[in-house]
Amino acid sequence: MSSPTLTKDEAANPAPSPKEPAEAPQEAAPPSALARFLGNPKTLALLVAALVVVVSALVTGAGTWPRSLTADVQSPLNDLDNWLVDNRESHWIFLYFLLHISNFAQASYDTLLSLLESMSYVGVIVVGTLIAWAAGGADLSRRALRTGGTALAVFAVCGVLDVWEPTMETLALMIVSIILAALLGALLGLASGVSDRFEKLLRPVFDTMQVMPAFAYLLPLVLMFDIGVPSALIATVIYAAPPMARLTSLGLRQADPTALEAATSLGADARQRLLTARLPLARKQMMLGLNQTIMMCLSMVVLASLIGAGGLGSEVYEALGALKNGDALVAGVAVVLLAVLLDRTTAAAGERIDDVATTSFSRAAAQLRIVVWGGIAALTVLFAAIGTAVAGDEWPENWVVDFTNSIDTAVNWFTDHLGSGIPLLGGTITWAEGFTEFVLNPLRDGLQTTPWWALALLVAVIGWIVGTWRAALTGVICLALVGWMRLWDVAMDTLSQVLAGLLLTIVVGVLVGVLCARVERVDKLMRPVLDTMQTMPQFVYLIPVIALVGQNRTGGILAAVIYAAPAVIRITAQGLRHVDPAAMEASNSLGATGMQQLFGVQLPLARKSMLVALNQGVVLVLSMVVVAGLIGGGALGYMVVRGLSKGDLSQGFPAGIAIVCLGIMLDRLSQPAAKRNRD
Amino acid sequence: MRIKRVSTIGVAGVGLLGVLALTTGCAADTKASGGGDDKVVLAEPSWVGATANAAVVKKLLEDELDVKVEAKQMDEPVAFDALNSGKADVILEDWHGVPKKQKKYVEEKKTVVSGGDLGVVGHIGWFVPKYYADKHPDILKSYKNLNKHYKDFRTSESGDLGHFIGAAPSYSQHDKELIKNLGLKFKHIPSGAEAAQLKELKRLYDAKKPFLTYWWEPQWMNEKIDLVEVPLPKYTKGCEVPASEAECGYETNQLEKFMNKDFANGDSKAAEFIKNFHWSTKDQNEVAGMIAGKKMDPEDAAAKWIKDNKSTWEKWIPKK
């Protein structure tokens, strides 16, 4: 473990001067980290590559990918588009396969929604609260009461805010998507957890599923499965399944070896070991995976509304079209509340499974539980039969409070005053213009004027240094693919935005993460804020962002930072908190100050977590490229949006693939090989 | 210990199994909705004028003809797919923004038919705020004078050129090509969504900054901000095809209704009502203004308009 010292020296000498003797005396003492750093041929290669980039950019002044090395990817996609439209009513693949999927999705949703509707609001509140309470343990313990109380509060608030009907539509869609995403994720995770070959095969698939903007594959889905619920459901499942799969696989692979050995010694074969030891031991990770899957499902709510699936997303989207921030925010709050409800309920159920594993329990408790669930089922049937007759089919109008106008006023006041009214400092608009002019524009121009071969060289060298030749090759291939699809210039524009967004996200994320890890109170304060930042539909804050910074790339970057920072903050804080207490103790006893402890011990030891945070930063910032395209980010994001909204497969799909390419390239360039080998 | 876990897992699975069991009965049903007279599905795009159409049609159909109506949010291209498949029955306001799909479904496959004019006239053009035009009136004479003033329109996004605020991606437009073909010193920067463009215009208007934008009528915000049009070369039929050679402005457009063929020929009262539905730009702006400007609920706005304009809508109701 030499990484702590190395990191420290790197931080102290960010730019080693070339004058320093490269071949330091090495015979007596072991070489210092700095000497090793400079003596390394890889460093030399990096310096040379950087030099080539700068010189070639200055000399040639234009970096377009050569036209001769491109291909026409649009015509085949147009053909595919036409084929889908012409054949969807006659071809067997639709009649005997895809149609069944889409009907299944539609029917599950319809069934669930009509159940919720026939139960009326009274039935939904009673049964929903009871289910949450039963999931928490069905007794008078604090957990059971708290879970039940959360459910009751969530339903009540959604009703009072006058969004009961769309909330039910969204709830029905979410329940079906979460179940399907969790099942698919668990199955894929199982496969990649028990087989190394599957693991290798599925990893790029998961990457693609997460980074590929849903906007890009929504169009082919619409052509295959028609508009509305089926396409929305499938898009959501594709996006939300990977975390479940990854964490299931991780859990299976991390299962305590002694427990496995014990199972083997008791004569269990591989299948029994999997069922009795490995799967139960992986349940913590699986619960975390489920939590992430729920969050991601809910973040797709607005997208579903773009193709006619209705629900809260539709409310948000429509409200924004009329610039009603208040209405949009109210619907957004309902989405966040649904996330809280589903997350807390499943988490409570998960905790209970944990308890069961550690404590014994009585037969009486089991019987009580069966009675409770039986009662819930009976109540469901009862309400389904008489609910609307007793309580009517709509939330009563006099139980509604209208906050929307006061929210509008508040948001407008806030944006007006912060936008330009601050004396001396200028306000957010001035800062945003400065950021565009002095950070984004030079970065974009730099990337666009660098010749493609120089950039490929730089990517190859960085890939080789942090990873292996394999990483270098992957990076270059990704870059070449972008050029081949005739998207070089646009992709460089996007890359400059992504790099700037990533930098901001990491800076903000690590700073706040460190603060959270060290000050308990900040951590508590931040938790609900982070929940909201992750699940509030981005559309809700996109429009106020325009008031603050204008319709430009900076606005898009700001939105990306808001969305991506929470994950970085969480992972950083957790990594720092889990640093080996012995190391902390030791540094304490040596009289290290808080700062020394942070930079010398905590940060270096939390290196692995920091890398995961970086990876998540890359993935999440990229997933916001499209959203940024909606408010003036332009480039690839706009192309994807345009592809969907013009119904043009040949434009949106390649742009989506280019975003995936950038994602894979950035991931390979930022994740050292050691991590890859270990996993 | 095992019993309890099994019971928990079992309970968790009940929801799923229930869903599965209930769905087996309805497999391979090609049309989930639409076509029949029981429920009419409207394709409702994201702009407020469309909300106004949908709200009035919905209220009248439900109150006067007792037909259930569902408005589904979707943009023009997706809406055409939906009309083709029968997932939606009607588009009330189409700007002819997806000529390829229109050709495919209306002319070739004949699954979609025209429902006649909406009565509202759509006009697209290039606009600047009135306070700017008052200071530089020559800009209203010809688009050529834009090049004299392009420096006023520069932003950090457009660099050395003037900033042209483009439209949302799903709207009919050929501004980017027009700027190039007319040799204007402007950079076309598209808006990703109508809401984004509206908010940006509002921000610039409140700050009294100059801007040049793609803009149109009917549009509820026209009552709140005062924009004037910069004349573009006159539109002649087909002059914008192909877009890369376009050198003209936009067609003044009779907005059209489109219907699913089965629904249109189904001889239902709802279909007849929708064919009859025909109102003016002023009517639509009135309802849209109530929804967006006065922040009323679409349903309430429609109710208010219906109460005040009985003579207009009486003609739409099919005779017995």
Side-chain angles (χ1 to χ4, degrees):
Chain A
M1 274 302 278
S2 61
S3 49
T5 41
L6 183 67
T7 319
K8 208 167 150 192
D9 279 348
E10 267 176 353
N13 299 290
S17 64
K19 275 177 240 151
E20 213 132 342
E23 57 270 21
Q26 290 189 3
E27 59 277 20
S32 75
L34 178 66
R36 268 201 319 237
F37 180 66
L38 275 178
N40 196 329
K42 290 183 170 181
T43 319
L44 211 64
L46 180 63
L47 286 176
V48 170
L51 206 67
V52 168
V53 166
V54 173
V55 170
S56 62
L58 286 176
V59 171
T60 61
T64 319
W65 183 267
R67 187 93 186 157
S68 54
L69 291 182
T70 62
D72 177 25
V73 287
Q74 304 213 332
S75 313
L77 281 170
N78 274 331
D79 292 345
L80 175 68
D81 193 340
N82 285 330
W83 186 87
L84 285 173
V85 173
D86 289 339
N87 288 287
R88 56 162 301 149
E89 272 137 43
S90 52
H91 200 270
W92 60 269
I93 202 166
F94 290 101
L95 291 181
Y96 299 108
F97 181 58
L98 297 179
L99 197 60
H100 283 283
I101 295 183
S102 103
N103 283 335
F104 168 76
Q106 184 76 45
S108 336
Y109 167 80
D110 286 347
T111 314
L112 200 55
L113 182 61
S114 61
L115 178 68
L116 289 175
E117 276 173 354
S118 65
M119 280 165 75
S120 163
Y121 64 96
V122 180
V124 172
I125 291 180
V126 171
V127 172
T129 309
L130 281 177
I131 289 178
W133 172 68
D139 48 26
L140 293 177
S141 70
R142 256 188 86 191
R143 183 175 61 222
L145 293 180
R146 200 180 48 210
T147 322
T150 310
L152 184 63
V154 166
F155 285 126
V157 172
C158 288
V160 169
L161 289 177
D162 200 15
V163 285
W164 182 263
E165 275 174 52
T167 306
M168 288 303 110
E169 286 172 20
T170 298
L171 184 62
L173 184 63
M174 284 302 117
I175 290 177
V176 181
S177 359
I178 290 168
I179 291 174
L180 291 180
L183 273 181
L184 179 72
L187 282 178
L188 290 177
L190 199 65
S192 81
V194 295
S195 147
D196 283 339
R197 183 175 300 169
F198 267 115
E199 216 256 330
K200 259 197 196 126
L201 209 70
L202 286 175
R203 177 194 286 270
V205 177
F206 293 155
D207 281 343
T208 312
M209 282 161 87
Q210 282 199 290
V211 179
M212 183 84 170
F215 273 80
Y217 57 77
L218 207 52
L219 192 67
L221 284 183
V222 169
L223 290 174
M224 282 188 280
F225 299 104
D226 216 337
I227 57 133
V229 170
S231 299
L233 192 75
I234 292 163
T236 310
V237 169
I238 292 176
Y239 182 62
M244 183 77 192
R246 275 187 227 247
L247 283 155
T248 304
S249 153
L250 188 71
L252 288 175
R253 280 166 189 277
Q254 281 184 345
D256 188 3
T258 52
L260 292 182
E261 215 153 298
T264 318
S265 70
L266 286 171
D269 61 26
R271 212 177 64 107
Q272 284 170 329
R273 263 205 314 271
L274 178 69
L275 290 177
T276 58
R278 289 177 78 180
L279 266 180
L281 284 172
R283 63 176 177 270
K284 263 214 174 112
Q285 269 87 6
M286 289 173 74
M287 285 314 293
L288 188 62
L290 184 61
N291 158 284
Q292 283 301 301
T293 294
I294 291 174
M295 295 292 166
M296 301 188 100
C297 275
L298 277 150
S299 72
M300 296 286 276
V301 162
V302 173
L303 191 105
S305 77
L306 287 180
I307 50 166
L312 289 167
S314 186
E315 299 279 309
V316 171
Y317 203 63
E318 249 173 62
L320 288 180
L323 297 187
K324 294 179 180 171
N325 286 318
D327 290 40
L329 191 68
V330 161
V333 166
V335 176
V336 175
L337 288 177
L338 277 187
V340 169
L341 167 74
L342 293 167
D343 179 51
R344 298 296 137 84
T345 308
T346 48
E351 272 176 42
R352 243 188 57 231
I353 298 176
D354 260 10
D355 291 356
V356 177
T358 48
T359 60
S360 61
F361 83 110
S362 68
R363 187 164 287 272
Q367 274 165 350
L368 176 74
R369 215 138 273 152
I370 291 170
V371 171
V372 168
W373 283 109
I376 290 176
L379 267 179
T380 310
V381 174
L382 180 72
F383 276 115
I386 60 156
T388 46
V390 175
D393 48 4
E394 271 174 28
W395 181 270
E397 251 176 59
N398 44 353
W399 293 3
V400 164
V401 183
D402 189 7
F403 294 104
T404 53
N405 285 332
S406 37
I407 296 175
D408 269 346
T409 321
V411 170
N412 285 342
W413 185 89
F414 185 73
T415 48
D416 286 350
H417 285 76
L418 281 184
S420 54
I422 306 173
L424 292 181
L425 296 175
T428 47
I429 288 174
T430 330
W431 304 343
E433 273 167 10
F435 184 76
T436 310
E437 224 151 290
F438 298 110
V439 180
L440 280 180
N441 285 350
L443 198 56
R444 180 181 65 185
D445 295 346
L447 282 171
Q448 283 181 341
T449 47
T450 307
W452 59 274
W453 45 266
L455 214 56
L457 179 71
L458 185 68
V459 165
V461 169
I462 297 178
W464 177 55
I465 290 172
V466 295
T468 55
W469 61 269
R470 224 182 258 263
L473 189 67
T474 316
V476 173
I477 289 177
C478 286
L479 213 53
L481 206 57
V482 170
W484 183 73
M485 291 189 295
R486 298 182 185 163
L487 291 170
W488 183 266
D489 279 346
V490 207
M492 288 304 119
D493 188 354
T494 292
L495 184 61
S496 71
Q497 295 177 42
V498 168
L499 287 176
L502 194 59
L503 194 72
L504 274 180
T505 306
I506 299 295
V507 169
V508 171
V510 170
L511 282 180
V512 180
V514 166
L515 207 63
C516 283
R518 308 204 112 216
V519 188
E520 189 74 16
R521 200 183 312 158
V522 176
D523 186 45
K524 279 216 176 102
L525 220 67
M526 284 303 289
R527 212 172 287 165
V529 178
L530 297 184
D531 276 343
T532 312
M533 282 160 80
Q534 275 192 303
T535 45
M536 177 66 79
Q538 292 101 25
F539 288 73
V540 172
Y541 52 77
L542 280 183
I543 302 306
V545 157
I546 292 178
L548 283 181
V549 303
Q551 188 189 24
N552 49 38
R553 284 169 288 157
T554 308
I557 288 172
L558 195 62
V561 173
I562 294 176
Y563 183 63
V568 178
I569 294 173
R570 282 202 169 121
I571 298 169
T572 308
Q574 203 182 19
L576 291 183
R577 249 186 258 121
H578 287 192
V579 162
D580 186 7
M584 295 291 285
E585 197 87 359
S587 68
N588 241 343
S589 66
L590 286 172
T593 64
M595 273 296 158
Q596 283 171 332
Q597 214 176 26
L598 178 66
F599 285 105
V601 183
Q602 269 188 311
L603 280 177
L605 284 183
R607 188 166 156 265
K608 264 183 217 156
S609 308
M610 306 300 280
L611 285 174
V612 176
L614 184 61
N615 165 279
Q616 283 301 297
V618 169
V619 170
L620 294 173
V621 167
L622 271 163
S623 74
M624 287 293 282
V625 162
V626 171
V627 174
L630 284 170
I631 58 162
L636 289 176
Y638 176 78
M639 286 182 74
V640 173
V641 177
R642 197 181 136 84
L644 176 66
S645 52
K646 272 281 178 201
D648 186 353
L649 189 63
S650 64
Q651 192 174 36
F653 206 66
I657 293 174
I659 293 176
V660 175
C661 286
L662 291 183
I664 293 177
M665 185 188 88
L666 286 175
D667 182 63
R668 296 301 182 267
L669 296 191
S670 62
Q671 301 291 312
K675 186 207 155 214
R676 233 166 264 299
N677 293 341
R678 199 199 71 245
D679 282 356
Chain B
M1 179 168 142
R2 194 176 316 132
I3 300 171
K4 183 165 174 188
R5 191 175 307 142
V6 167
S7 82
T8 317
I9 293 168
V11 165
V14 161
L16 175 72
L17 284 178
V19 169
L20 282 172
L22 287 163
T23 54
T24 43
C26 27
D29 169 20
T30 43
K31 277 176 191 170
S33 73
D37 202 15
D38 53 334
K39 188 168 84 174
V40 177
V41 181
L42 307 177
E44 186 187 335
S46 57
W47 59 83
V48 183
T51 310
N53 295 331
V56 169
V57 166
K58 183 172 197 267
K59 186 119 186 85
L60 284 173
L61 273 179
E62 288 186 340
D63 292 355
E64 304 294 322
L65 296 175
D66 209 20
V67 178
K68 207 168 173 315
V69 178
E70 188 188 0
K72 274 193 182 175
Q73 169 102 45
M74 54 188 115
D75 268 341
E76 205 177 3
V78 182
F80 261 100
D81 289 331
L83 283 191
N84 169 51
S85 69
K87 285 260 179 172
D89 297 317
V90 189
I91 298 175
L92 290 171
E93 179 180 320
D94 185 84
W95 286 67
H96 304 135
V98 281
K100 261 195 238 161
K101 295 219 171 204
Q102 195 177 325
K103 188 159 173 268
K104 176 138 222 148
Y105 294 140
V106 180
E107 288 169 29
E108 289 170 22
K109 293 188 77 185
K110 302 196 195 302
T111 48
V112 180
V113 295
S114 169
D117 289 341
L118 173 70
V120 177
V121 177
H123 175 69
I124 302 171
W126 287 8
F127 286 75
V128 291
K130 188 158 183 305
Y131 52 73
Y132 184 79
D134 287 346
K135 262 188 267 165
H136 307 278
D138 59 327
I139 217 163
L140 299 183
K141 296 224 174 66
S142 166
Y143 66 91
K144 286 179 186 135
N145 294 330
L146 282 171
N147 270 353
K148 283 189 210 153
H149 302 289
Y150 77 96
K151 283 188 177 156
D152 292 347
F153 299 93
R154 281 193 313 199
T155 65
S156 56
E157 280 296 312
S158 63
D160 293 332
L161 300 168
H163 185 138
F164 180 90
I165 303 174
S170 66
Y171 297 0
S172 320
Q173 57 189 309
H174 50 262
D175 301 320
K176 200 177 174 182
E177 294 81 6
L178 209 49
I179 289 171
K180 189 170 156 247
N181 296 342
L182 298 180
L184 298 175
K185 291 177 185 155
F186 279 80
K187 186 170 176 185
H188 176 262
I189 294 171
S191 301
E194 184 185 316
Q197 190 187 5
L198 295 185
K199 189 75 195 177
E200 176 74 351
L201 293 195
K202 188 90 181 25
R203 176 180 82 82
L204 293 166
Y205 194 88
D206 289 344
K208 293 271 174 277
K209 291 233 174 84
F211 60 84
L212 174 64
T213 183
Y214 170 100
W215 194 241
W216 65 96
E217 142 94 352
Q219 159 59 261
W220 62 272
M221 246 199 7
N222 285 335
E223 286 176 24
K224 304 197 129 189
I225 61 177
D226 206 351
L227 302 186
V228 289
E229 188 170 1
V230 176
L232 286 171
K234 222 176 168 54
Y235 173 87
T236 53
K237 194 161 173 55
C239 67
E240 85 281 29
V241 190
S244 57
E245 286 161 30
E247 284 180 14
C248 61
Y250 292 88
E251 176 187 15
T252 296
N253 219 336
Q254 272 293 339
L255 303 186
E256 195 174 352
K257 293 170 282 184
F258 282 99
M259 304 163 92
N260 171 275
K261 186 177 151 227
D262 293 337
F263 173 71
N265 297 347
D267 216 24
S268 67
K269 279 196 192 138
E272 207 183 329
F273 171 86
I274 285 168
K275 282 180 206 157
N276 292 343
F277 173 58
H278 188 276
W279 63 347
S280 68
T281 308
K282 192 177 142 283
D283 287 326
Q284 194 196 60
N285 270 342
E286 197 184 324
V287 181
M290 282 190 266
I291 296 170
K294 294 184 190 144
K295 308 212 182 245
M296 270 168 82
D297 215 36
E299 208 185 324
D300 300 340
K304 186 167 185 306
W305 184 87
I306 287 170
K307 197 164 148 265
D308 299 342
N309 295 277
K310 191 155 195 280
S311 60
T312 314
W313 60 259
E314 253 178 351
K315 288 178 273 175
W316 307 338
I317 308 288
K319 310 218 165 37
K320 289 224 170 90

